[in-house]
Amino acid sequence: LTLTSMFYALIGVCLIMFLAPNCTGSGLPENKAYLNGGAVPGLFTKRTLGVRIMTSILANAAGFPVGREGPTVTIGSNLGFLLSKKVAKPYFKE
């Protein structure tokens, strides 16, 4: 059981370190900064969405005392941003 938890933790750390370093933490401060007009580059991408989902699953499976509210809000805002960008893109010129 301990080795399994360590393996999950190692995979999660590698995902964050090498694929999406901006996925550290819950993501709520970054969301607040974006909603207040701050530019947070690379916050809402498909890569960060996938890494955040996978690391949330791995952290809970490893038994870490992490809450699910912060990552769930960030995953929802990321998904909403990507879907609205995809749906609204034909109607707006940049």
Side-chain angles (χ1 to χ4, degrees), residues 47-78:
R47 175 179 283 186
T48 57
L49 177 64
V51 169
R52 196 166 293 277
I53 290 171
M54 289 303 301
T55 53
S56 294
I57 292 170
L58 288 170
N60 283 314
F64 292 158
V66 293
R68 61 178 246 279
E69 293 85 10
T72 304
V73 168
T74 306
I75 289 168
S77 63
N78 197 341

Side-chain angles (χ1 to χ4, degrees), residues 4-91:
T4 305
S5 296
M6 287 174 49
F7 180 69
Y8 289 159
L10 179 66
I11 291 173
V13 166
C14 289
L15 283 172
I16 290 174
M17 291 294 293
F18 299 117
L19 287 180
N22 56 351
C23 283
T24 58
S26 70
L28 287 178
E30 291 87 354
N31 276 336
K32 287 181 182 180
Y34 178 78
L35 289 173
N36 287 323
V40 185
L43 178 64
F44 298 120
T45 63
K46 291 178 187 176
R47 175 179 283 186
T48 57
L49 177 64
V51 169
R52 196 166 293 277
I53 290 171
M54 289 303 301
T55 53
S56 294
I57 292 170
L58 288 170
N60 283 314
F64 292 158
V66 293
R68 61 178 246 279
E69 293 85 10
T72 304
V73 168
T74 306
I75 289 168
S77 63
N78 197 341
L79 188 62
F81 179 84
L82 291 174
L83 284 175
S84 65
K85 186 176 175 184
K86 182 110 175 146
V87 169
K89 189 168 185 127
Y91 302 106

